[in-house]
Every structure is written in C-alpha cells, then in structure tokens.
Amino acid sequence: MKVWTVANQKGGVGKTTTTVSLGGLLAEQGKRVLLIDTDPHASLTYYFGIDSEAIEVSAYDVFTRGKNMASEEILQSLCPSGVENIDILPATMAIATLDRSMGNKNGMGLILKKVLAKISEHYDYAILDCPPVLGVLMVNALAASERVLIPVQTEFLALKGLDRMMRTMELMQQSAQTYSYQYTVVATMYDKRTNASLDAYKKLRATYHDSVWPGVIPIDTKFRDASLAQQVPSKHCAKARGVQAYRALLDYLQNKQVDA
C-alpha cells in the first residue's frame, strides 16, 4: 500500500481538495483507496456527507486503541464514501484532545503507521488529510507516509506557511526516529490573470527547485460544485480544468514511483 500525506501548516491552501481529487482519480483507475481524516475540523469527513458526531468509531479510536485492534476491527471502523473503491476513516472533534492526552508518551508518533500496516493488503493507496497544526496528528501522518504532498496557494502569505512546514520536516528527519518520506510541493489556486500568482510560483520554483511539481492547480469553481454535490471532482466534472490538472499531477507522482 502506498501512503501519501497531504500537509501544510497553513489552512485554506487546498489540502482536502487535493486529497479528494487524487483519491477519486486513483479510484477511477481501479485502485482501492483509503482516505484518512486527521483534522478535528473533519472537512474530508463532511465532504462525503458523513456526520462526524453521529459515527460510533472514528480516527480517535484508531489513535487511542489502534495498537490493540485487529485488522478486522480496524476495517469495520471505516465508512463507505459512496464512491466505488474509496473508503473513509472519518474524524471527530475528539481527536483535538490527542495532543493533551498522548503527546508526551513514547511511541505515539508511530501509531498510525502501525495501524496501516495491519490493513495494508486491503488497499493500494492511503491518502491522509492533515490539520494545519503541528502536533501528534501531523507527526503520525508524516511518519506513516512515503510521500508528502504540500499544497501551497500561490500567494505571499502561503509561502510563509511553506517555510514553517519545511522546518517541521527537517526537524523530524533529524530526530532519533527514521522518516523516509519524500515531498512534492504543489502550487494551488493559481490565477494566471494576477501577478501575485505568477510571482509566487516563480519564487516557489526558485527556492525549492525540483521539489516543486512543474504544473499548477488553477482556481476552479467546479471544485466547490463537486463538494456541494458530495462527489469526487473527477466524477462530478471530469472535464474541468482543475480535474485535468490533478490528473497531470497524479501521472507525475506515479511516474516518480516507477523511477524510484
């Protein structure tokens, strides 16, 4: 099972849209996909019409009881997305308490990695949607992944958020534990009509070079329409320019896998 984490320490940059879009395109290829919501705001969960406060088992239970859960129990805690080949591990507000209750315990950064190992034969891909805050949830998501996707809105303040994210990953990779992920920066919400987007993209390329995907995800209102319809964008508006951009991103990432 390939594990990708979508993360940035700034909100509103397109993390959930990236998670859902790539998940939908992978499912379209016939891949078995698990989408994991590790954000207390539960945007990914609500995207698919799942009421996070009405479910009996969620990501909170996986974090607190995961090491003692058998694979079948973990699988039973997942929710259908309504899209063929996609399941969801939903989030609830309760996971916001994990930093306080678990953050200082040894080994807490590897819980998710161990849980995913128990169900790895059931999925081809797992994509993790992260909160924009450094804590036990983001650390777990980074530790579990082999590739980190960092959506960055093409505007000045978002570049500052990327700087913080890069420092976080450097600190983790310098820690006593081994983190073997690679990362790809993805320029999002690109508006070719504005100098701000163009300048931000040029700065991204100049600063992070080949770590930046050479394409861009444009501003596209079809993403909002797909969200309102609770459908993955590739199903709701397959020909939209944003969907085509994510299709190009997925091709790029899958080619990177082959090269690796």
Side-chain angles (χ1 to χ4, degrees):
M1 177 173 65
K2 304 292 183 183
V3 182
W4 294 347
T5 289
V6 183
N8 194 330
Q9 287 175 249
K10 185 181 186 306
V13 296
K15 292 189 295 293
T16 300
T17 297
T18 298
T19 301
V20 170
S21 296
L22 291 176
L25 290 167
L26 286 166
E28 186 181 271
Q29 292 179 352
K31 307 297 186 184
R32 300 165 300 169
V33 182
L34 175 61
L35 302 182
I36 300 175
D37 196 346
T38 66
D39 190 339
H41 291 107
S43 296
L44 178 63
T45 301
Y46 285 118
Y47 187 104
F48 290 98
I50 301 168
D51 184 349
S52 69
E53 302 311 315
I55 53 181
E56 294 183 2
V57 183
S58 70
Y60 176 82
D61 300 276
V62 167
F63 273 98
T64 55
R65 300 191 292 112
K67 64 181 180 181
N68 298 318
M69 294 172 76
S71 59
E72 287 304 314
E73 188 178 1
I74 296 169
L75 291 169
Q76 288 171 8
S77 70
L78 308 178
C79 295
S81 67
V83 179
E84 186 177 4
N85 294 327
I86 297 180
D87 290 330
I88 309 291
L89 177 58
T92 63
M93 283 296 295
I95 62 174
T97 67
L98 292 176
D99 276 316
R100 184 174 67 251
S101 62
M102 301 171 62
N104 294 323
K105 296 180 180 178
N106 290 331
M108 290 302 101
L110 298 174
I111 291 175
L112 195 52
K113 184 174 184 176
K114 294 175 180 178
V115 166
L116 290 178
K118 294 181 181 182
I119 60 172
S120 61
E121 65 184 44
H122 295 274
Y123 294 95
D124 300 302
Y125 285 84
I127 307 180
L128 288 59
D129 189 14
C130 279
V133 178
L134 177 60
V136 70
L137 295 166
M138 183 181 285
V139 168
N140 265 268
L142 293 175
S145 66
E146 58 197 62
R147 180 165 294 277
V148 180
L149 306 177
I150 310 173
V152 181
Q153 183 180 358
T154 45
E155 58 97 24
F156 177 73
L157 290 179
L159 299 187
K160 292 296 183 183
L162 176 59
D163 291 342
R164 290 194 297 274
M165 188 69 212
M166 291 300 183
R167 286 198 294 271
T168 294
M169 292 195 297
E170 288 174 6
L171 287 171
M172 286 187 63
Q173 290 178 328
Q174 291 170 4
S175 72
Q177 297 175 348
T178 301
Y179 299 100
S180 58
Y181 54 78
Q182 297 176 309
Y183 69 88
T184 300
V185 177
V186 180
T188 61
M189 303 181 190
Y190 183 80
D191 188 345
K192 64 181 181 181
R193 300 168 298 180
T194 68
N195 289 330
S197 276
L198 179 60
D199 290 345
Y201 181 71
K202 286 180 177 179
K203 185 172 178 59
L204 272 181
R205 295 287 292 176
T207 305
Y208 298 105
H209 310 291
D210 292 342
S211 296
V212 181
W213 173 51
V216 296
I217 305 298
I219 287 178
D220 193 338
T221 59
K222 295 295 185 182
F223 290 135
R224 188 184 305 118
D225 295 341
S227 175
L228 288 171
Q230 297 176 352
Q231 291 184 347
V232 293
S234 55
K235 183 175 180 180
H236 182 71
C237 44
K239 296 182 179 180
R241 59 180 181 170
V243 173
Q244 296 308 311
Y246 274 113
R247 198 179 299 277
L249 172 61
L250 180 59
D251 288 344
Y252 173 85
L253 296 172
Q254 290 180 319
N255 287 332
K256 282 281 189 182
Q257 285 176 186
V258 172
D259 293 341

